[in-house]
Amino acid sequence: MTSTEDLLWEHLRSRGLGPGDRLPPERELAADLALSRPTVRIALGVLAGRGLVETRNRSGTYISGTNPDDLLDVRLLLEPYAAHRAARTARPSDHRALQELLGAASAALDDGPAFAAADLRIHEAVGTLSGNVLVAEIMAGLRTRLARSRDNTSPNLGVRRSTLEDLRALVDAITDGDGAGAEAAMRTHLLTVGAAADRLKRDEGRKPR
């Protein structure tokens, strides 16, 4: 059965609304979908929790600038490649630096925001170690979006634990010079975290309000 928020999201997309576009008023959306305004308001809250829409003070509600699915697609194109390159080009000093970053992530396991920051530093380091300046620049440009994408997953201890294991496999593959292994580890990590984010958003949408 399609949830109200999914129905609303599909309706918004069917109207041709994209990133940065302002949503119609709640009363109009309610009329379009034959729903009550409180029901539409709750659905908008769920979409905001997913990062799909955002409310701006005294301005209204807008389609968010970055669809989380679009961000994941870009990362899947970019970061496994970066990991493969890093495994081929990183030096012993780089290996030590990665191990130190991994140690910082492990030490921060019980602190969601600190762990998220340590996780992000590892991803940025892999981008830099790829030796591709454009990859590093793109990763730096995505920093704010990447940080925001962790808002839903970093508070969850189970996700942090699985992420740490993923990062350990990634760093070990890079340290071993295993390009294919590093690429696979990064891809697995991104897909796992993406699936966890979707699951947590669905769970949040089911909570009574």
Side-chain angles (χ1 to χ4, degrees), residues 54-209:
E54 57 188 30
T55 300
R56 302 175 188 173
N57 290 337
R58 300 183 180 181
S59 179
T61 303
Y62 294 76
I63 302 292
S64 296
T66 303
N67 185 319
D69 291 337
D70 291 342
L71 180 59
L72 178 59
D73 287 345
V74 170
R75 296 185 70 187
L76 285 170
L77 289 171
L78 186 71
E79 295 193 61
Y81 161 80
H84 190 285
R85 292 264 305 185
R88 303 295 296 273
T89 62
R91 299 167 296 183
S93 59
D94 300 322
H95 298 161
R96 290 192 293 273
L98 282 174
Q99 291 291 346
E100 289 176 1
L101 290 174
L102 182 63
S106 180
L109 183 61
D110 293 326
D111 184 334
F115 182 85
D119 177 16
L120 182 57
R121 285 194 291 272
I122 291 174
H123 284 271
E124 291 180 332
V126 171
T128 299
L129 292 177
S130 72
N132 187 314
V133 175
L134 287 177
V135 168
E137 289 180 352
I138 293 171
M139 290 293 295
L142 291 175
R143 181 180 179 85
T144 298
R145 291 180 173 87
L146 294 178
R148 287 183 61 186
S149 74
R150 288 163 170 76
D151 289 346
N152 191 49
T153 56
S154 61
N156 187 285
L157 179 58
V159 175
R160 296 199 301 272
R161 285 173 173 163
S162 65
T163 294
L164 182 61
E165 292 306 309
D166 289 347
L167 293 175
R168 184 171 287 116
L170 170 66
V171 171
D172 285 348
I174 292 175
T175 301
D176 291 341
D178 181 1
E183 181 176 347
M186 179 65 86
R187 184 175 300 279
T188 296
H189 168 54
L190 294 176
L191 290 172
T192 299
V193 172
D198 287 343
R199 183 178 66 254
L200 290 170
K201 289 170 186 174
R202 288 195 299 271
D203 291 346
E204 179 66 23
R206 296 191 187 104
K207 291 181 179 178
R209 295 176 181 269

Side-chain angles (χ1 to χ4, degrees), residues 25-31 35-44:
E26 286 180 4
R27 62 178 179 277
E28 183 177 333
L29 293 173
L35 298 170
S36 67
R37 288 182 64 180
T39 298
V40 169
R41 191 173 301 119
I42 290 171
L44 286 172

